[in-house]
Amino acid sequence: MGVYALYVALQPRYRAQNWLLLIASYGFYGYWDVRFLLLLLVSTGVDYIAGLRIDRATGERSRNIWLALSLTVNLSVLGFFKYFNFFIDSFASLIENFGWSANVPSLSIILPVGISFYTFQTLSYTLDIYRRDLKPVSSFLDFALFVSFFPQLVAGPIERAATLLPQITTPRTLSSSQINAGLYLILWGYFKKLVIADNVADVVDEVFEDYLELGGLDLWIGAVAFAVQIYGDFSGYSDIARGIAKLLGFDLIVNFKLPYFARNPSDFWARWHISLSTWFRDYVYIPLGGSRQGEWATYRNLMITMTVCGLWHGAAWNFVLWGVFHGLLLVGYHAIQMHGPHRFKELDLRFNGAWGLASIFIMLGLTTIGWIFFRASSVAQITYMLTHLGTTISDETLELISDLLFFSLPLFLMQIYQAMTQDLLVVTKLNPWARIPLYGLMLAWIVLFSDRDSAEFIYFQF
Amino acid sequence: MLSSVTQTINNAFKHLPQEAIKPIKRKEVWINVLGATVVLMLCNGFADLFLNYLNSNRGYFLVSLKWKLLQEQTQPVDWLVVGDSSCNQGVIPETLMQQLNGNALNLCTVGSMLTLDDVWMLQQHIHHVGPPRQVVIIHVYDIWHRELEEETLAHLAQIPLSDDEISAFEPALELDGGKQVQLFLHRSLPLYAAHRSLEEWIREPIESFRESREFIVTKRGFMPRSETNLALFQRDVRNHLKFVSRNAFKLSDINQRSLMHLRTLADQHQFDVYFAAAPLYEGLYEDRAFRRYFRQMQRSLADFAATSDRLHVILNRPITFEPEDMQNVDHLKAPAAEVYTRRLAEAIAQHQSLNRPKP
């Protein structure tokens, strides 16, 4: 609050505001672990210099060298902290399968908070400069703030330099409209996280911990509950981050656009974690060739992109399998579009009433199955749950459904309203006699239902 | 109409939604913020009213009720019984009155309030109607080592006195900033403090109503209980045994300060204080580690009692019961409370006759 008051008092001196934000951002990150502030600084320094060098380089070789340096440093840091033990352990398991013994070192490595996010953010900077889509920023302060901007530092949205840097390097307005929207996003974000996600987590934990004792329908309930939990948790954080940014006069990318109303896999990735999906599209899928090199190349590129996307989420095989699953969905959808009945493509384009709703439910079902890969703690659990999904019930079923429905209903109703009005901020436009009591009730529910031992945001672990 | 509904659905899910920011004046932002705050406060006020009549949190109910019972007294009590929930449902004042002379009042609350609540109640009694004639303090063995926790603050916040009145009590609460905020929230924001009870009322209203109706307390402060959960009983035993095997007895700072002020009050106002052990499951007392811990506790209390003629420790061995008589290892069902109260009264009477000054 003190920082914000000072920030407002400095208006319109944006340079002074940038200094304040940078200090606050480093203080915020250093609070998690001051050692990892050094990593952030290294990443910032390397990419700042690489960006300038790439732009000023006269020859292609020099440009490539500086880009390679940026990629190597950033991906090495990310690879070491996030994937070292995973690859070592996987390699050891592999050679043990051939009957050889493996004495491999395992290090006690702490994953720096937000490393996956800020690494991708800084990489997009150097890659855009390399592609000549962007000019480098001359001020180190401005670049450092771009990398470390605290609202989105630890769990996104992953911003592009082309959208965030201009906001840093020019004066910002703190309009009442932005502040109003920002406050609403913070409120709705906390509601999704503290009321919906954290309470539904109890259903998820119960199912995923005792899955061997439960019925097929319970497994479905657990999977749906996790779909609600991860959406509430992650989109809640994104909304809070975007809301805080709006209070500071910044506009961050909308990261979620009602993903569970997606009609097909392509549509899902246009609505879910948009900043990440567009990053993978622009820096992995398209450079691999995208869909320009024929059908089979398209499928290959989709599979590679989604597998890497899965791996980005975590250093464990279940995340890789989740990525592969979504890759197969995209491949399957493309294949049906190319070779399926003409009627199918026509229906999909027209979104005709019943077919449209059916396609949403089918996609929701497939996404829910995918979440089993994501949440399960082992491949054995994934296999068991996938093969035992069904309609059998247990003594717990009624209670699980009741808990899930109780906390999911507000989310479902809000999302329907947002979909019908095509406006994610529709609540801010309600009549004050409806809007203000709604805000008050949301606050009351947050106080009432928030878990005092609230779990941290799920995506912080990435 | 059907086609327009279909059209709306088609448009809703075919296109991606956007964020359209509505132009708004600063005044409207303030109206939103203040209006939402007012609604929140109204919800809080409603919750407060509601819980005054239908509180399903037994601990909060007990604290509030026992302090109100104290406030209703118009003359000093002859036998004031204070302590935790084990004596709340273990000591029947009417039985005590039959065995000993005078009237009796059971103001026992919950263990999380430690001995702080005991000595504060004494001060309020003295302030309100003068000193009691005798005081009996009964606690389960495992409250003595406990310090102030959030649960303590949550229960202390239920005391129906003003902040000024509470801040006059000794020992004073020495709270850091965080704990002061917690206490403030517990006292002023029942939406926050009693959120579990309110949550249960919203999600399971019938069950909550049934539970709130079970809070029966006699006009002298005894709460008869009768239900048992055998699985919980066994788990309770294991937890207690684990605790005593890993810990030596120690007196926490807050309990020590409370006892010292209790001694000051007893010396100043010339009333006797009897420390008695809470009723106990016999199986627990058969355990060697438990007996060792119990003896350490008794020695510590005896050492303290030796510093004043007004302080007495009775029941060198706890009064033990079989599982059928108990709700858990240290809480009695109503019929066994009759037995415990009689034996407690006998022990007090015996102690009094042994220590009566010789003519």
Side-chain angles (χ1 to χ4, degrees):
Chain A
M1 292 292 286
V3 169
Y4 187 66
L6 185 54
Y7 183 88
V8 171
L10 286 171
Q11 187 70 0
R13 286 172 289 167
Y14 73 98
R15 288 240 164 264
Q17 286 177 326
N18 288 352
W19 271 110
L20 178 65
L21 286 176
L22 185 65
I23 293 166
S25 299
Y26 283 159
F28 171 75
Y29 195 68
Y31 177 76
W32 293 93
D33 193 321
V34 73
R35 296 170 294 178
F36 298 136
L37 198 50
L38 289 171
L39 277 177
L40 182 66
L41 285 166
V42 163
S43 193
T44 306
V46 164
D47 287 332
Y48 172 73
I49 294 168
L52 288 171
R53 292 294 187 183
I54 291 169
D55 185 62
R56 289 172 195 171
T58 47
E60 208 52 39
R61 187 166 176 268
S62 184
R63 280 163 45 82
N64 291 341
I65 288 169
W66 283 106
L67 178 67
L69 175 70
S70 169
L71 287 170
T72 305
V73 168
N74 283 293
L75 293 177
S76 298
V77 168
L78 180 64
F80 174 75
F81 280 94
K82 197 164 176 179
Y83 301 107
F84 178 83
N85 282 335
F86 169 65
F87 284 119
I88 288 290
D89 292 342
S90 301
F91 176 71
S93 297
L94 181 67
I95 62 175
E96 273 164 13
N97 281 338
F98 288 103
W100 299 323
S101 72
N103 271 332
V104 291
S106 185
L107 302 177
S108 190
I109 301 173
I110 305 168
L111 182 67
V113 175
I115 190 169
S116 303
F117 291 89
Y118 73 71
T119 301
F120 271 34
Q121 187 153 311
T122 56
L123 278 177
S124 77
Y125 174 77
T126 46
L127 286 165
D128 283 349
I129 293 172
Y130 181 82
R131 290 173 172 183
R132 304 186 205 277
D133 291 337
L134 183 76
K135 295 302 277 179
V137 66
S138 56
S139 161
F140 180 75
L141 162 69
D142 292 343
F143 181 71
L145 184 56
F146 161 71
V147 177
S148 65
F149 187 48
F150 76 88
Q152 43 92 237
L153 175 59
V154 293
I158 301 170
E159 283 294 322
R160 301 297 180 90
T163 49
L164 185 54
L165 270 173
Q167 298 183 70
I168 290 173
T169 56
T170 52
R172 297 168 287 272
T173 32
L174 301 180
S175 70
S176 303
S177 314
Q178 285 276 73
I179 289 171
N180 185 57
L183 288 172
Y184 164 73
L185 284 171
I186 293 168
L187 176 64
W188 178 228
Y190 271 113
F191 187 89
K192 280 192 283 189
K193 162 61 179 166
L194 297 176
V195 177
I196 298 171
D198 286 351
N199 283 291
V200 160
D202 292 336
V203 176
V204 175
D205 290 345
E206 192 173 334
V207 172
F208 279 81
E209 276 161 28
D210 293 330
Y211 63 97
L212 294 169
E213 321 289 334
L214 298 171
L217 186 60
D218 300 325
L219 301 183
W220 269 117
I221 294 167
V224 170
F226 185 67
V228 172
Q229 182 195 357
I230 195 164
Y231 175 69
D233 193 284
F234 193 19
S235 70
Y237 174 81
S238 283
D239 281 352
I240 294 167
R242 297 184 60 243
I244 293 172
K246 281 195 193 294
L247 296 185
L248 298 168
F250 290 88
D251 245 322
L252 301 182
I253 182 174
V254 178
N255 222 3
F256 294 87
K257 291 186 176 181
L258 308 180
Y260 291 143
F261 293 152
R263 296 170 288 125
N264 54 60
S266 264
D267 192 24
F268 177 78
W269 285 102
R271 296 169 178 260
W272 176 273
H273 200 175
I274 296 165
S275 65
L276 182 73
S277 63
T278 51
W279 197 99
F280 273 104
R281 179 197 64 200
D282 294 341
Y283 301 112
V284 179
Y285 181 66
I286 290 175
L288 282 173
S291 56
R292 299 187 307 271
Q293 295 169 343
E295 186 181 349
W296 288 105
T298 302
Y299 298 160
R300 176 202 67 203
N301 297 338
L302 282 169
M303 289 306 301
I304 292 172
T305 304
M306 293 314 298
T307 304
V308 174
C309 178
L311 190 60
W312 176 90
H313 280 80
W317 286 110
N318 61 304
F319 295 116
V320 176
L321 288 173
W322 173 79
V324 167
F325 175 79
H326 273 275
L328 289 171
L329 287 183
L330 283 164
V331 165
Y333 175 66
H334 269 262
I336 293 172
Q337 286 278 298
M338 298 273 291
H339 305 291
H342 183 67
R343 181 102 178 104
F344 177 89
K345 208 196 286 194
E346 194 191 288
L347 279 173
D348 194 44
L349 282 173
R350 279 175 54 200
F351 191 87
N352 188 3
W355 162 248
L357 285 174
S359 65
I360 288 175
F361 278 107
I362 292 168
M363 190 58 216
L364 181 57
L366 290 169
T367 310
T368 302
I369 289 170
W371 288 128
I372 292 175
F373 290 88
F374 201 92
R375 175 60 175 79
S377 52
S378 67
V379 175
Q381 183 177 4
I382 294 169
T383 312
Y384 180 91
M385 288 184 75
L386 289 178
T387 53
H388 286 76
L389 289 170
T391 54
T392 51
I393 63 172
S394 70
D395 294 336
E396 313 296 327
T397 305
L398 201 58
E399 196 179 329
L400 290 172
I401 289 178
S402 144
D403 286 349
L404 176 60
L405 283 177
F406 183 85
F407 289 108
S408 304
L409 196 60
L411 179 67
F412 178 67
L413 292 174
M414 177 69 91
Q415 302 244 295
I416 292 280
Y417 190 41
Q418 288 171 325
M420 302 299 267
T421 55
Q422 287 285 285
D423 183 3
L424 297 172
L425 294 178
V426 62
V427 167
T428 62
K429 300 169 188 73
L430 288 173
N431 181 293
W433 291 109
R435 183 176 75 233
I436 290 168
L438 182 60
Y439 288 169
L441 285 172
M442 282 165 70
L443 276 172
W445 270 56
I446 288 170
V447 172
L448 204 47
F449 285 103
S450 61
D451 188 349
R452 301 294 183 259
D453 302 318
S454 180
E456 67 171 18
F457 291 95
I458 294 174
Y459 265 70
F460 277 18
Q461 63 187 298
F462 306 134
Chain B
M1 162 118 171
L2 185 63
S3 67
S4 79
V5 168
T6 312
Q7 187 65 33
T8 306
I9 293 173
N10 285 344
N11 287 338
F13 301 115
K14 194 172 177 186
H15 304 290
L16 293 178
Q18 302 303 321
E19 264 189 8
I21 295 185
K22 171 190 154 190
I24 188 175
K25 292 195 176 68
R26 190 183 299 185
K27 184 178 82 169
E28 270 191 72
V29 178
W30 280 111
I31 290 172
N32 284 339
V33 171
L34 292 172
T37 308
V38 167
V39 171
L40 176 65
M41 290 297 110
L42 285 173
C43 291
N44 187 57
F46 176 74
D48 193 30
L49 265 174
F50 181 83
L51 291 171
N52 272 337
Y53 292 102
L54 288 168
N55 202 332
S56 58
N57 181 311
R58 188 175 296 116
Y60 291 0
F61 167 81
L62 267 181
V63 171
S64 179
L65 179 94
K66 295 296 180 94
W67 274 86
K68 283 177 186 162
L69 202 53
L70 172 60
Q71 296 292 82
E72 285 167 9
Q73 303 308 304
T74 54
Q75 57 189 17
V77 174
D78 295 316
W79 290 96
L80 185 65
V81 184
V82 290
D84 56 33
S85 52
S86 66
C87 69
N88 168 56
Q89 60 192 76
V91 175
I92 305 175
E94 289 80 359
T95 305
L96 210 61
M97 284 157 66
Q98 279 170 12
Q99 303 286 104
L100 306 165
N101 292 323
N103 60 52
L105 189 66
N106 181 331
L107 293 183
C108 300
T109 52
V110 289
S112 70
M113 296 184 84
L114 312 173
T115 50
L116 190 65
D117 190 48
D118 305 340
V119 72
W120 282 10
M121 277 182 160
L122 263 175
Q123 288 169 77
Q124 183 63 10
H125 187 287
I126 293 167
H127 172 76
H128 186 55
V129 293
R133 306 233 157 75
Q134 329 273 347
V135 175
V136 182
I137 298 183
I138 301 171
H139 279 290
V140 176
Y141 78 94
D142 65 353
I143 68 103
W144 296 105
H145 70 278
R146 286 159 63 175
E147 294 286 2
L148 269 179
E149 302 148 349
E150 188 177 348
E151 206 187 344
T152 316
L153 299 176
H155 285 116
L156 289 174
Q158 308 308 313
I159 296 173
L161 296 175
S162 69
D163 290 341
D164 285 341
E165 286 171 304
I166 290 175
S167 60
F169 290 142
E170 293 283 342
L173 290 175
E174 290 166 357
L175 302 177
D176 59 32
K179 286 201 157 69
Q180 283 182 16
V181 169
Q182 276 177 7
L183 184 62
F184 172 77
L185 286 173
H186 280 293
R187 273 182 83 72
S188 314
L189 205 60
L191 211 57
Y192 170 87
H195 74 106
R196 287 208 199 282
S197 304
L198 291 167
E199 214 180 294
E200 279 168 18
W201 270 109
I202 293 170
R203 299 187 61 191
E204 292 171 359
I206 297 169
E207 179 67 22
S208 297
F209 182 75
R210 192 187 58 75
E211 252 184 58
S212 69
R213 295 292 95 190
E214 282 175 9
F215 295 167
I216 298 165
V217 177
T218 66
K219 62 178 185 179
R220 291 203 166 271
F222 170 64
M223 179 185 254
R225 303 293 307 279
S226 56
E227 68 280 13
T228 313
N229 183 324
L230 207 57
L232 279 179
F233 193 96
Q234 298 303 334
R235 195 182 69 187
D236 211 19
V237 172
R238 282 194 299 271
N239 287 341
H240 281 278
L241 291 179
K242 202 192 307 187
F243 172 79
V244 296
S245 67
R246 292 177 184 178
N247 295 281
F249 176 81
K250 76 175 180 87
L251 195 60
S252 68
D253 176 64
I254 187 68
N255 279 323
Q256 198 161 21
R257 286 166 52 217
S258 300
L259 288 178
M260 282 165 63
H261 194 67
L262 170 73
R263 181 182 61 194
T264 304
L265 291 172
D267 288 340
Q268 194 179 344
H269 296 282
Q270 299 288 293
F271 57 81
D272 288 304
V273 179
Y274 297 90
F275 292 95
L280 197 66
Y281 163 52
E282 63 188 8
L284 206 57
Y285 195 66
E286 282 164 10
D287 181 85
R288 233 164 122 181
F290 185 89
R291 286 204 305 278
R292 174 184 53 79
Y293 191 98
F294 187 86
R295 279 197 299 271
Q296 288 171 353
M297 178 193 79
Q298 291 292 85
R299 243 193 325 267
S300 181
L301 287 175
D303 288 345
F304 173 70
T307 61
S308 167
D309 291 338
R310 290 289 169 183
L311 305 178
H312 316 276
V313 176
I314 57 171
L315 293 177
N316 285 326
R317 284 175 58 94
I319 303 171
T320 57
F321 294 85
E322 292 169 3
E324 299 76 50
D325 297 323
M326 310 197 76
Q327 221 192 358
N328 56 42
V329 298
D330 42 38
H331 288 70
L332 294 171
K333 292 187 200 173
E338 181 72 35
V339 173
Y340 177 78
T341 311
R342 285 190 190 283
R343 291 183 57 185
L344 175 70
E346 282 163 15
I348 292 174
Q350 188 181 33
H351 184 89
Q352 282 181 328
S353 74
L354 283 173
N355 290 284
R356 194 169 292 130
K358 292 183 175 47

